[in-house]
Amino acid sequence: MQQDILINWSPQETRVAVVEHGAVQELHIERTLERGLVGNVYLGKVSRVLPGMQSAFIDIGLERAAFLHVADVWHRQDNGEPPAFARKNGEPPVPIEKQVFEGQSLMVQVIKDPIGTKGARLSTQISVAGRLLVFLPQDDHVGVSQKIPGAERDALRARLQALVGDKASGGGGGFILRTNAEESTDAELAEDIAYLRKTWARIKEASLRLPATSLLHQDLDLLQRVLRDLVGEGTQAIRIDSLEQFQRLRAFGQEFMPAAAAKLQHYKGERPIFDLYSIDEEVAKALGRRVDLKSGGYLIVDQTEALTTIDVNTGGYVGARNFDDTIFKTNLEAAQAIARQLRLRNLGGIIIVDFIDMVREDHQHAVLSEFRKQLARDRVKTMAGGFSQLGLVEMTRKRTRESLAHMLCEPCEACQGSGQVKTARSVCYDILREILREARQFNPREFRVVAAPQVVELFLDEESQHLAGLSDFIGKPISLQAEGGMVQDQYDIVLL
């Protein structure tokens, strides 16, 4: 799949769009003041151990304590057995209270950014990513990416094992060959091995020198990760609109990733780079609930704390010969659109897709097959089940950072994130009840209602009779004051 990568850089924010056939497929944003933590290595301090949850809270110097689960605790066995977090023959791992204790200093790595009210998730197994390899310094395993065909994997593993060597020869450590290293030479691999071992030596040295809660190692910034993680064989060009960052990125790429650096271009056009493919418009659409399909159908995307639901509707599409074909074609188009929206919005966790009900099993199989095919293009790990008894497709997508909506938006002050506010009439009736309640407790000269203009307008028009009736009943005048800064369901009752 041919793609272009566009980079819009400013001192406060870096935005990267991956475009295929003129359509935005992925959007990555990194803000200088809100840079992600995944990959960072810290010298943490155990602040609390929770045996009941088999987890611990670790202070790594952030606002919220980070979270370490027993499944993420690396513990090498002296008898050559697998690490404690790897269950063997159904046996439970070693309890966390026997592995860590309060006040202990512990080297940890962030594997999930803080999301919402949850702190960062940690692991004690450290991995350092390079251009071609991932280094696992606490391990001795040498592996090859699952995406590389099986026939080539054994040969690549043997090559890598020879380059890594063993502890006796001053080598050792675990390495995983990344997908983009399939065609690399021994010299390139040896260079990456040396770079990763040098990085690990710096991390170890810092852990002995710095106090607890210190940052020992920071992962590459978004610009550098573009070359390391996003560039592939199908990438035609990487265009960046900042000359200074272009030069910095080219220097970094020529040293570590010459093939990727060769695709770098400095964009000099007068139009903003994101205007080339209307990317800002796509971002605005990705923040909305409704996604229109070309056929006339549409999706409704609702994101909550627990899960994300996606509902497919035929809308105005009536183009097929019969109703079954209309539903089938809408669902096929939706399968492609949903996979793209997951990438674009960076939705993670549990996702429930409600395709339009299909009677024919061959239609169900075809839609599910197309959906899984589109999900396979995702860089992030996904798992999708079949149709449930209720006709729903349940899936998961690994969540490592905030979704696009959570990064760019915040809950509405008026509705507190519910997406709804009370009608003006409901607010009027709330005010009438509140005045009656206040009149029973206090004896002011007058009640003054301060409310949004649309509420005051309703009191002066359709609800004037009810307001006058209440005034007669309590024997006090009620005056109205419109306040333009108030939202519809806000009001104040002033006792004069």
Side-chain angles (χ1 to χ4, degrees):
M1 186 70 71
Q2 291 187 337
Q3 63 178 212
D4 285 314
I5 298 177
L6 308 181
I7 304 174
N8 168 229
W9 184 88
S10 63
Q12 69 276 6
E13 183 179 62
T14 302
R15 301 190 300 168
V16 177
V18 179
V19 180
E20 294 175 3
H21 299 303
V24 187
Q25 301 295 323
E26 298 177 45
L27 185 71
H28 301 264
I29 298 176
E30 183 175 85
R31 290 173 171 170
T32 307
L33 298 177
E34 301 172 1
R35 189 169 163 187
L37 305 175
V38 171
N40 287 2
V41 180
Y42 294 86
L43 185 62
K45 187 173 184 179
V46 180
S47 57
R48 194 175 173 198
V49 180
L50 305 171
M53 294 175 61
Q54 280 301 290
S55 59
F57 286 113
I58 314 291
D59 182 6
I60 57 174
L62 302 179
E63 184 181 344
R64 289 193 298 271
F67 180 79
L68 175 68
H69 190 264
V70 69
D72 299 312
V73 178
W74 174 264
H75 176 64
R76 184 187 296 280
Q77 307 283 59
D78 296 330
N79 57 6
E81 291 290 315
F85 64 60
R87 294 182 182 231
K88 185 181 178 187
N89 299 326
E91 295 176 8
V94 177
I96 195 163
E97 62 268 26
K98 294 186 178 180
Q99 301 191 66
V100 301
F101 55 87
E102 289 187 19
Q104 177 184 2
S105 292
L106 203 60
M107 189 187 294
V108 290
Q109 186 168 38
V110 177
I111 56 176
K112 279 189 181 179
D113 275 329
I115 295 175
T117 57
K118 300 174 184 175
R121 182 159 178 174
L122 305 174
S123 173
T124 60
Q125 183 182 26
I126 310 301
S127 64
V128 186
R131 178 172 67 96
L132 304 171
L133 304 166
V134 176
F135 183 36
L136 306 172
Q138 302 141 303
D139 202 348
D140 294 319
H141 172 72
V142 173
V144 177
S145 167
Q146 303 253 347
K147 293 184 179 179
I148 294 176
E152 302 172 27
R153 292 175 63 179
D154 291 341
L156 286 168
R157 186 183 286 108
R159 277 179 57 201
L160 183 56
Q161 184 68 68
L163 291 167
V164 168
D166 53 31
K167 286 185 178 177
S169 61
F175 286 87
I176 297 173
L177 191 89
R178 300 174 66 144
T179 311
N180 63 345
E182 191 176 351
E183 305 293 333
S184 52
T185 64
D186 284 359
E188 290 172 328
L189 291 172
E191 190 177 319
D192 216 34
I193 290 169
Y195 162 74
L196 290 169
R197 282 180 172 155
K198 194 182 298 180
T199 302
W200 173 238
R202 283 202 305 268
I203 293 172
K204 283 202 300 183
E205 185 272 329
S207 72
L208 298 173
R209 177 172 47 85
L210 297 174
T213 73
S214 296
L215 173 65
L216 305 179
H217 169 74
Q218 190 168 32
D219 197 20
L220 302 179
D221 63 29
L222 178 56
L223 282 179
Q224 296 165 325
R225 293 200 309 275
V226 167
L227 297 191
R228 189 186 73 185
D229 300 335
L230 301 185
V231 178
E233 289 182 10
T235 306
Q236 297 182 92
I238 310 159
R239 288 182 258 181
I240 181 169
D241 59 3
S242 164
L243 177 60
E244 180 187 351
Q245 298 305 315
F246 165 73
Q247 292 169 340
R248 182 175 79 91
L249 199 54
R250 184 174 59 180
F252 171 79
Q254 285 172 343
E255 182 177 355
F256 295 105
M257 303 148 203
K263 299 177 180 182
L264 273 169
Q265 298 174 8
H266 176 222
Y267 175 73
K268 302 175 184 176
E270 291 184 6
R271 293 172 63 199
I273 191 168
F274 268 28
D275 283 3
L276 295 181
Y277 296 99
S278 304
I279 291 169
D280 285 322
E281 291 177 24
E282 288 290 333
V283 173
K285 289 179 185 175
L287 297 175
R289 290 181 68 225
R290 177 168 170 145
V291 179
D292 290 316
L293 305 176
K294 290 180 181 177
S295 65
Y298 62 93
L299 313 175
I300 296 293
V301 183
D302 283 314
Q303 187 181 355
T304 68
E305 184 82 12
L307 51 82
T308 298
T309 61
I310 302 176
D311 186 32
V312 183
N313 299 278
T314 54
Y317 179 49
V318 291
R321 290 184 301 253
N322 57 58
F323 192 53
D324 282 352
D325 283 347
T326 299
I327 291 172
F328 176 54
K329 291 188 177 179
T330 303
N331 280 340
L332 273 180
E333 188 184 359
Q336 300 174 17
I338 290 168
R340 175 174 172 253
Q341 289 296 321
L342 295 180
R343 296 191 297 269
L344 187 57
R345 297 169 185 246
N346 193 34
L347 296 172
I350 300 170
I351 297 157
I352 308 293
V353 182
D354 185 8
F355 286 106
I356 306 166
D357 290 340
M358 292 172 284
V359 177
R360 292 171 50 176
E361 282 193 18
D362 60 327
H363 283 177
Q364 292 183 9
H365 290 313
V367 168
L368 202 55
S369 175
E370 178 63 24
F371 189 42
R372 286 174 172 160
K373 175 184 166 187
Q374 296 296 326
L375 291 176
R377 297 172 52 195
D378 205 325
R379 298 177 206 278
V380 178
K381 184 179 179 183
T382 60
M383 290 178 61
F387 282 95
S388 70
Q389 290 182 331
L390 297 176
L392 306 174
V393 174
E394 300 170 5
M395 65 164 289
T396 60
R397 186 173 185 269
K398 188 177 179 183
R399 177 160 50 193
T400 57
R401 56 191 173 94
E402 292 272 25
S403 69
L404 186 67
H406 283 163
M407 178 177 282
L408 300 182
C409 305
E410 64 183 10
C412 163
E413 279 188 24
C415 68
Q416 295 301 311
S418 71
Q420 296 178 321
V421 293
K422 284 186 175 181
T423 64
R425 196 177 305 277
S426 297
V427 177
C428 285
Y429 295 166
D430 284 346
I431 291 170
L432 294 176
R433 281 191 292 271
E434 183 63 26
I435 291 173
L436 184 59
R437 191 179 299 117
E438 297 276 350
R440 287 170 177 163
Q441 298 181 53
F442 306 102
N443 186 30
R445 179 173 50 81
E446 177 188 337
F447 289 92
R448 176 168 295 169
V449 176
V450 183
Q454 53 269 42
V455 174
V456 171
E457 188 177 333
L458 200 60
F459 268 134
L460 293 172
D461 188 11
E462 297 175 27
E463 297 298 333
S464 58
Q465 187 176 352
H466 291 138
L467 187 67
L470 178 63
S471 179
D472 289 343
F473 179 75
I474 62 175
K476 303 286 182 183
I478 302 174
S479 60
L480 301 171
Q481 180 181 327
E483 187 62 58
M486 282 186 162
V487 294
Q488 187 162 286
D489 58 358
Q490 284 182 320
Y491 64 86
D492 217 349
I493 297 173
V494 182
L495 309 182
L496 299 175

